[in-house]
Amino acid sequence: AMRSLAELSELERTRFVSPWERAILYLAMKDRDKCFEQLFLAWQDRFFDRSLLAVDPRFDDVRDDVRFEKLLHVVGLR
């Protein structure tokens, strides 16, 4: 995951990299704070399919976090 984050940083020099991509990597690394930071940025950029949040099993570990509920509310899924 760390190598992938470094690769994203390198790619970002020449093209747009969505915060969604970083959020997924931070999620895999169990870094909830950075994951949610990136998810909210992705929402602000309108650069992810919001319906994924409700069903994507990758988010199972953070569904109990109040920030997850807040994000679902903000994107209109609650």
Side-chain angles (χ1 to χ4, degrees):
M2 292 297 288
R3 185 179 310 148
S4 295
L5 281 171
E7 289 173 6
L8 286 180
S9 292
E10 186 65 31
L11 279 174
E12 196 169 40
R13 294 177 186 208
T14 59
R15 71 171 185 90
F16 174 74
V17 174
S18 169
W20 173 263
E21 295 173 48
R22 280 197 178 87
I24 297 300
L25 290 171
Y26 285 125
L27 183 64
M29 294 168 45
K30 308 286 189 214
D31 189 334
R32 286 182 171 209
D33 293 336
K34 288 183 181 177
C35 173
F36 281 108
E37 178 183 300
Q38 295 300 308
L39 284 173
F40 278 99
L41 287 173
W43 169 76
Q44 288 173 344
D45 289 345
R46 291 178 164 76
F47 201 83
F48 71 91
D49 182 356
R50 65 185 186 182
S51 64
L52 289 175
L53 285 174
V55 297
D56 192 326
R58 293 179 290 188
F59 293 100
D60 287 350
D61 289 341
V62 295
R63 291 186 194 284
D64 63 342
D65 193 301
V66 296
R67 294 171 290 186
F68 189 76
E69 279 299 317
K70 181 180 178 182
L71 186 60
L72 289 178
H73 179 74
V74 167
V75 301
L77 293 173
R78 291 277 195 261

